[in-house]
Amino acid sequence: MKRLGKQTISFDSPPTIVETASIVGPKEGQGPLAKYFDQCLEDEFWGEKTWEKAESKIIKETVNTVIHKSGIPMEQIDYCFAGDLLNQCISSSFGLRELNIPFFGVFGACSTFVESLCLGSVFIEGHGATNTLCATSSHFCSAEKQFRFPLELGNQRPPSAQWTVTGSGAAILSANGNGPYITTITPGKIIDMGIKDANNMGAAMAPSALDSLIVHFNDTGRKPSYYDVIVTGDLGYIGKEILTELSESKGFQIQNNYEDCGVLIFNKEEQDTHSGGSGCACIGTTFSGYFFKQLREKKINKILLIATGALMNSMSSQQGESIPGIAHAISIEN
Amino acid sequence: MKPLETKQEYSNYVDKKSPNSPILKNCFNAFWVGGLICSIGQIIMDFCIYQGMDKTASSTVVSIVLIAISALLTSLNIFNKIGKFAGAGSLIPITGFANSIVSPAIEYKSEGYVMGVGGKMFTVAGPVLVFGISASVIIGIIALLFT
Amino acid sequence: MDFLQSIDWMQLLKCFVVGGLICIVGQILIDKTKLTPARILVIFVTTGAILGGLGIYQYLIDFAGAGATVPLTGFGANLAKGAIQEVQTSGLLGAFIGGVKASAGGIATAVFFGYIASLIAKPKIKKQ
């Protein structure tokens, strides 16, 4: 493990992503990526009484699925890193309370998935663990209830609003394996450019994605064209356009190989999701479902994954605070 | 494009990048749905007066009936579709007030009937009552001083 | 059927237009500002109470009927009107009683149906 430049860590014996799993809600199951997910639910409650219980069940079942698919016995998984959007990360801790694996609750808002992957891979590289489990979840209904309004309220969503993805993504990292490898990680700084509009998360988070992107390229000496694809978490249509233009203004041309999970996961016109998807599960499920399969089938070999998060809560926006953003980047290569 | 350095530059840039709401379409929908709801109210009012009720009582009946209809449509998960289409057209009439009381009542049922339904019922509509009633008390006192 | 023949269509048209116009004001606030629904409702009820207190809103009610009473401005005007009227009969006490008394029907109905709805309805996701 060695430090590159200001913020990047490169691994000497890069951990392998052994297996991933993803479960999504019904709306995501009608979206363009439906066939890549392990399971698409038919209703948001999934037989539970509350949205919060449903979200816990989704992350629990996703973790069970990834462990089952990996073939690694439960007791050989050393640590679990997981988090979500609900207060005090209750979806993860309640969903995984019967897991019997040492647990780190992680909060990075919608960047949680890559934050977990960063921590999980450092534990392996530092020989503190052989196998680690990284997971995240979000649920449209529980997020609306906590951050916005009751679902039955007849309000209009502005065009810049994004739709929280219902679902969960999970990955198992291992010291033993032959790729795809996590080769470098670039944990991001908190960046606040003063955006206060909680209905325009993409714009609030784009500057942090830009910062991590530039730092990553400067630290590693790589160029955007080094990667087959550069993927951001949930900037959505507006944030994607902003990031493309801002990085061009800084001398990095990314428009040819840049994708955003919030753009990919829904069909904007048919599903009426305005500026695209958001939430922890947006990059969690899109990477676990779609991009990981592409990596494994060698359709793509080098990917830069940048998960973006808006570090706010409903109280901070009521108090008129601006929205700080964060973005963690990792490169995954075959 | 020049690199953006300050928060102000970025904020101006974001404003330009963010799409505007389709305000003409929204206003048109708000106009006819809002007008329609008021007209339904007017017909109920006329009917009450036709039945021999006085104006004040008729007006109260209008509120009660519209609120009841709004509560029913909220329970059936229809009101939020009307609201999405009509915006202020269903928010500004008394139906929007009813929806803002009934919707948290349903949503927070999972936190129990006392602190969930009872406590959260006024999360959206509470301010309306606080400011409306306070204003009425102040106006009453002013009226007392000037008469 | 006598009732249908007794409907004043001109009055209904005035009601439709005025009610619709008041909603357009609300829609412009939604689209052009970042105000939340709760704030917009507060603005409307307070404006209605002030206009009602000044006696201006009554002209609109006389002109448009339900077109002026059904929007929340009418709710506010009704609160103010109730307080003013009660002050005439009960003095200072009336300032505290009148507003709520005049709008008690609406408030009680909304609370009651909110409670009933929570008993029977289940939260559901917006399909769109």
mmCIF file of all heavy atoms in Angstrom, chain A residues 141-168:
data_model
loop_
_atom_site.group_PDB
_atom_site.id
_atom_site.type_symbol
_atom_site.label_atom_id
_atom_site.label_comp_id
_atom_site.label_asym_id
_atom_site.label_seq_id
_atom_site.Cartn_x
_atom_site.Cartn_y
_atom_site.Cartn_z
ATOM 1 N N CYS A 141 -39.499 5.419 -0.457
ATOM 2 C CA CYS A 141 -40.560 5.837 0.462
ATOM 3 C C CYS A 141 -39.997 6.266 1.805
ATOM 4 O O CYS A 141 -40.427 7.277 2.375
ATOM 5 C CB CYS A 141 -41.567 4.703 0.642
ATOM 6 S SG CYS A 141 -42.275 4.164 -0.913
ATOM 7 N N SER A 142 -39.015 5.512 2.337
ATOM 8 C CA SER A 142 -38.458 5.901 3.638
ATOM 9 C C SER A 142 -37.681 7.202 3.498
ATOM 10 O O SER A 142 -37.670 8.034 4.404
ATOM 11 C CB SER A 142 -37.577 4.792 4.213
ATOM 12 O OG SER A 142 -36.481 4.540 3.379
ATOM 13 N N ALA A 143 -37.033 7.422 2.351
ATOM 14 C CA ALA A 143 -36.277 8.655 2.146
ATOM 15 C C ALA A 143 -37.216 9.853 1.997
ATOM 16 O O ALA A 143 -36.972 10.911 2.575
ATOM 17 C CB ALA A 143 -35.384 8.530 0.908
ATOM 18 N N GLU A 144 -38.306 9.679 1.250
ATOM 19 C CA GLU A 144 -39.282 10.770 1.111
ATOM 20 C C GLU A 144 -39.833 11.150 2.482
ATOM 21 O O GLU A 144 -39.955 12.320 2.819
ATOM 22 C CB GLU A 144 -40.448 10.336 0.213
ATOM 23 C CG GLU A 144 -40.135 10.296 -1.265
ATOM 24 C CD GLU A 144 -39.872 11.669 -1.869
ATOM 25 O OE1 GLU A 144 -40.721 12.556 -1.716
ATOM 26 O OE2 GLU A 144 -38.811 11.845 -2.478
ATOM 27 N N LYS A 145 -40.176 10.125 3.251
ATOM 28 C CA LYS A 145 -40.773 10.349 4.569
ATOM 29 C C LYS A 145 -39.788 11.105 5.464
ATOM 30 O O LYS A 145 -40.176 12.028 6.173
ATOM 31 C CB LYS A 145 -41.131 8.994 5.169
ATOM 32 C CG LYS A 145 -41.798 9.038 6.507
ATOM 33 C CD LYS A 145 -42.172 7.624 6.924
ATOM 34 C CE LYS A 145 -42.557 7.539 8.380
ATOM 35 N NZ LYS A 145 -42.814 6.148 8.791
ATOM 36 N N GLN A 146 -38.511 10.728 5.423
ATOM 37 C CA GLN A 146 -37.537 11.362 6.304
ATOM 38 C C GLN A 146 -37.103 12.742 5.806
ATOM 39 O O GLN A 146 -36.946 13.662 6.586
ATOM 40 C CB GLN A 146 -36.320 10.456 6.475
ATOM 41 C CG GLN A 146 -35.267 11.085 7.365
ATOM 42 C CD GLN A 146 -34.105 10.159 7.630
ATOM 43 O OE1 GLN A 146 -34.267 9.017 8.013
ATOM 44 N NE2 GLN A 146 -32.918 10.652 7.410
ATOM 45 N N PHE A 147 -36.880 12.865 4.504
ATOM 46 C CA PHE A 147 -36.271 14.088 3.993
ATOM 47 C C PHE A 147 -37.284 15.078 3.423
ATOM 48 O O PHE A 147 -37.020 16.262 3.360
ATOM 49 C CB PHE A 147 -35.250 13.782 2.893
ATOM 50 C CG PHE A 147 -34.007 13.125 3.404
ATOM 51 C CD1 PHE A 147 -33.833 11.768 3.289
ATOM 52 C CD2 PHE A 147 -33.015 13.884 4.012
ATOM 53 C CE1 PHE A 147 -32.683 11.165 3.760
ATOM 54 C CE2 PHE A 147 -31.870 13.294 4.479
ATOM 55 C CZ PHE A 147 -31.698 11.928 4.360
ATOM 56 N N ARG A 148 -38.440 14.584 2.931
ATOM 57 C CA ARG A 148 -39.335 15.494 2.232
ATOM 58 C C ARG A 148 -40.729 15.476 2.837
ATOM 59 O O ARG A 148 -40.915 15.936 3.943
ATOM 60 C CB ARG A 148 -39.341 15.150 0.739
ATOM 61 C CG ARG A 148 -37.965 15.381 0.130
ATOM 62 C CD ARG A 148 -37.904 15.100 -1.348
ATOM 63 N NE ARG A 148 -36.517 15.137 -1.783
ATOM 64 C CZ ARG A 148 -35.713 14.099 -1.853
ATOM 65 N NH1 ARG A 148 -36.161 12.899 -1.562
ATOM 66 N NH2 ARG A 148 -34.458 14.222 -2.219
ATOM 67 N N PHE A 149 -41.692 14.940 2.124
ATOM 68 C CA PHE A 149 -43.073 15.029 2.571
ATOM 69 C C PHE A 149 -43.712 13.644 2.614
ATOM 70 O O PHE A 149 -43.211 12.713 2.001
ATOM 71 C CB PHE A 149 -43.885 15.899 1.609
ATOM 72 C CG PHE A 149 -43.405 17.312 1.561
ATOM 73 C CD1 PHE A 149 -42.786 17.812 0.436
ATOM 74 C CD2 PHE A 149 -43.558 18.134 2.666
ATOM 75 C CE1 PHE A 149 -42.335 19.113 0.402
ATOM 76 C CE2 PHE A 149 -43.115 19.434 2.638
ATOM 77 C CZ PHE A 149 -42.500 19.929 1.503
ATOM 78 N N PRO A 150 -44.863 13.534 3.301
ATOM 79 C CA PRO A 150 -45.596 12.279 3.228
ATOM 80 C C PRO A 150 -45.923 11.941 1.766
ATOM 81 O O PRO A 150 -46.137 12.839 0.957
ATOM 82 C CB PRO A 150 -46.883 12.567 4.003
ATOM 83 C CG PRO A 150 -46.580 13.729 4.866
ATOM 84 C CD PRO A 150 -45.548 14.526 4.149
ATOM 85 N N LEU A 151 -45.958 10.654 1.457
ATOM 86 C CA LEU A 151 -46.171 10.236 0.069
ATOM 87 C C LEU A 151 -47.522 10.668 -0.475
ATOM 88 O O LEU A 151 -47.677 10.873 -1.669
ATOM 89 C CB LEU A 151 -46.059 8.713 -0.033
ATOM 90 C CG LEU A 151 -44.671 8.161 0.271
ATOM 91 C CD1 LEU A 151 -44.740 6.663 0.450
ATOM 92 C CD2 LEU A 151 -43.712 8.525 -0.827
ATOM 93 N N GLU A 152 -48.519 10.791 0.416
ATOM 94 C CA GLU A 152 -49.869 11.112 -0.045
ATOM 95 C C GLU A 152 -50.062 12.603 -0.285
ATOM 96 O O GLU A 152 -51.106 13.028 -0.755
ATOM 97 C CB GLU A 152 -50.916 10.621 0.959
ATOM 98 C CG GLU A 152 -51.156 9.120 0.932
ATOM 99 C CD GLU A 152 -50.028 8.355 1.576
ATOM 100 O OE1 GLU A 152 -49.259 8.952 2.349
ATOM 101 O OE2 GLU A 152 -49.894 7.161 1.292
ATOM 102 N N LEU A 153 -49.077 13.421 0.072
ATOM 103 C CA LEU A 153 -49.228 14.865 -0.121
ATOM 104 C C LEU A 153 -49.211 15.182 -1.614
ATOM 105 O O LEU A 153 -48.355 14.717 -2.349
ATOM 106 C CB LEU A 153 -48.099 15.616 0.593
ATOM 107 C CG LEU A 153 -48.289 17.126 0.701
ATOM 108 C CD1 LEU A 153 -49.387 17.447 1.707
ATOM 109 C CD2 LEU A 153 -47.005 17.809 1.125
ATOM 110 N N GLY A 154 -50.181 15.990 -2.047
ATOM 111 C CA GLY A 154 -50.305 16.281 -3.477
ATOM 112 C C GLY A 154 -49.431 17.443 -3.901
ATOM 113 O O GLY A 154 -49.929 18.483 -4.270
ATOM 114 N N ASN A 155 -48.108 17.256 -3.843
ATOM 115 C CA ASN A 155 -47.227 18.343 -4.260
ATOM 116 C C ASN A 155 -46.579 18.002 -5.611
ATOM 117 O O ASN A 155 -46.620 16.868 -6.058
ATOM 118 C CB ASN A 155 -46.146 18.589 -3.205
ATOM 119 C CG ASN A 155 -45.312 17.355 -2.952
ATOM 120 O OD1 ASN A 155 -45.812 16.233 -3.025
ATOM 121 N ND2 ASN A 155 -44.052 17.541 -2.659
ATOM 122 N N GLN A 156 -45.995 19.022 -6.224
ATOM 123 C CA GLN A 156 -45.316 18.809 -7.512
ATOM 124 C C GLN A 156 -43.818 18.753 -7.294
ATOM 125 O O GLN A 156 -43.268 19.516 -6.520
ATOM 126 C CB GLN A 156 -45.636 19.966 -8.471
ATOM 127 C CG GLN A 156 -47.023 19.867 -9.066
ATOM 128 C CD GLN A 156 -47.367 21.052 -9.938
ATOM 129 O OE1 GLN A 156 -46.976 22.166 -9.655
ATOM 130 N NE2 GLN A 156 -48.118 20.802 -10.987
ATOM 131 N N ARG A 157 -43.152 17.833 -8.019
ATOM 132 C CA ARG A 157 -41.697 17.752 -7.943
ATOM 133 C C ARG A 157 -41.115 18.655 -9.024
ATOM 134 O O ARG A 157 -41.505 18.538 -10.182
ATOM 135 C CB ARG A 157 -41.238 16.316 -8.178
ATOM 136 C CG ARG A 157 -41.819 15.323 -7.186
ATOM 137 C CD ARG A 157 -41.723 13.902 -7.703
ATOM 138 N NE ARG A 157 -40.342 13.504 -7.928
ATOM 139 C CZ ARG A 157 -39.501 13.142 -6.974
ATOM 140 N NH1 ARG A 157 -39.915 13.110 -5.745
ATOM 141 N NH2 ARG A 157 -38.271 12.805 -7.265
ATOM 142 N N PRO A 158 -40.174 19.530 -8.662
ATOM 143 C CA PRO A 158 -39.581 20.384 -9.703
ATOM 144 C C PRO A 158 -38.733 19.556 -10.675
ATOM 145 O O PRO A 158 -38.331 18.434 -10.340
ATOM 146 C CB PRO A 158 -38.718 21.359 -8.914
ATOM 147 C CG PRO A 158 -38.516 20.748 -7.585
ATOM 148 C CD PRO A 158 -39.660 19.821 -7.330
ATOM 149 N N PRO A 159 -38.459 20.079 -11.879
ATOM 150 C CA PRO A 159 -37.738 19.306 -12.891
ATOM 151 C C PRO A 159 -36.324 18.901 -12.459
ATOM 152 O O PRO A 159 -35.784 17.925 -12.971
ATOM 153 C CB PRO A 159 -37.651 20.251 -14.089
ATOM 154 C CG PRO A 159 -38.553 21.376 -13.808
ATOM 155 C CD PRO A 159 -38.844 21.412 -12.357
ATOM 156 N N SER A 160 -35.737 19.640 -11.499
ATOM 157 C CA SER A 160 -34.376 19.289 -11.081
ATOM 158 C C SER A 160 -34.371 18.207 -10.005
ATOM 159 O O SER A 160 -33.315 17.718 -9.618
ATOM 160 C CB SER A 160 -33.658 20.536 -10.555
ATOM 161 O OG SER A 160 -34.366 21.069 -9.461
ATOM 162 N N ALA A 161 -35.537 17.805 -9.502
ATOM 163 C CA ALA A 161 -35.593 16.815 -8.433
ATOM 164 C C ALA A 161 -35.166 15.446 -8.945
ATOM 165 O O ALA A 161 -35.293 15.140 -10.127
ATOM 166 C CB ALA A 161 -37.005 16.736 -7.867
ATOM 167 N N GLN A 162 -34.635 14.628 -8.034
ATOM 168 C CA GLN A 162 -34.229 13.272 -8.411
ATOM 169 C C GLN A 162 -35.044 12.253 -7.624
ATOM 170 O O GLN A 162 -35.650 12.573 -6.606
ATOM 171 C CB GLN A 162 -32.729 13.103 -8.153
ATOM 172 C CG GLN A 162 -31.908 13.909 -9.145
ATOM 173 C CD GLN A 162 -30.418 13.869 -8.855
ATOM 174 O OE1 GLN A 162 -29.857 14.855 -8.421
ATOM 175 N NE2 GLN A 162 -29.793 12.733 -9.085
ATOM 176 N N TRP A 163 -35.045 11.035 -8.111
ATOM 177 C CA TRP A 163 -35.881 9.983 -7.558
ATOM 178 C C TRP A 163 -34.989 8.995 -6.793
ATOM 179 O O TRP A 163 -34.123 8.363 -7.402
ATOM 180 C CB TRP A 163 -36.605 9.261 -8.692
ATOM 181 C CG TRP A 163 -37.658 8.315 -8.217
ATOM 182 C CD1 TRP A 163 -37.449 7.050 -7.754
ATOM 183 C CD2 TRP A 163 -39.055 8.533 -8.136
ATOM 184 N NE1 TRP A 163 -38.642 6.480 -7.389
ATOM 185 C CE2 TRP A 163 -39.644 7.371 -7.611
ATOM 186 C CE3 TRP A 163 -39.880 9.621 -8.459
ATOM 187 C CZ2 TRP A 163 -41.013 7.257 -7.406
ATOM 188 C CZ3 TRP A 163 -41.244 9.487 -8.245
ATOM 189 C CH2 TRP A 163 -41.803 8.319 -7.728
ATOM 190 N N THR A 164 -35.214 8.852 -5.490
ATOM 191 C CA THR A 164 -34.394 7.947 -4.693
ATOM 192 C C THR A 164 -34.619 6.503 -5.141
ATOM 193 O O THR A 164 -35.752 6.043 -5.227
ATOM 194 C CB THR A 164 -34.743 8.078 -3.199
ATOM 195 O OG1 THR A 164 -34.646 9.447 -2.838
ATOM 196 C CG2 THR A 164 -33.808 7.247 -2.351
ATOM 197 N N VAL A 165 -33.525 5.815 -5.421
ATOM 198 C CA VAL A 165 -33.611 4.427 -5.881
ATOM 199 C C VAL A 165 -33.954 3.529 -4.700
ATOM 200 O O VAL A 165 -33.376 3.638 -3.626
ATOM 201 C CB VAL A 165 -32.266 3.996 -6.511
ATOM 202 C CG1 VAL A 165 -32.230 2.494 -6.765
ATOM 203 C CG2 VAL A 165 -32.025 4.765 -7.797
ATOM 204 N N THR A 166 -34.919 2.650 -4.900
ATOM 205 C CA THR A 166 -35.241 1.636 -3.907
ATOM 206 C C THR A 166 -34.417 0.402 -4.225
ATOM 207 O O THR A 166 -34.515 -0.138 -5.329
ATOM 208 C CB THR A 166 -36.737 1.276 -3.981
ATOM 209 O OG1 THR A 166 -37.488 2.462 -3.780
ATOM 210 C CG2 THR A 166 -37.102 0.247 -2.934
ATOM 211 N N GLY A 167 -33.610 -0.020 -3.283
ATOM 212 C CA GLY A 167 -32.838 -1.227 -3.543
ATOM 213 C C GLY A 167 -31.619 -1.301 -2.657
ATOM 214 O O GLY A 167 -31.436 -0.486 -1.743
ATOM 215 N N SER A 168 -30.801 -2.306 -2.929
ATOM 216 C CA SER A 168 -29.576 -2.491 -2.164
ATOM 217 C C SER A 168 -28.537 -3.143 -3.058
ATOM 218 O O SER A 168 -28.855 -3.989 -3.890
ATOM 219 C CB SER A 168 -29.866 -3.367 -0.948
ATOM 220 O OG SER A 168 -28.655 -3.797 -0.379
#
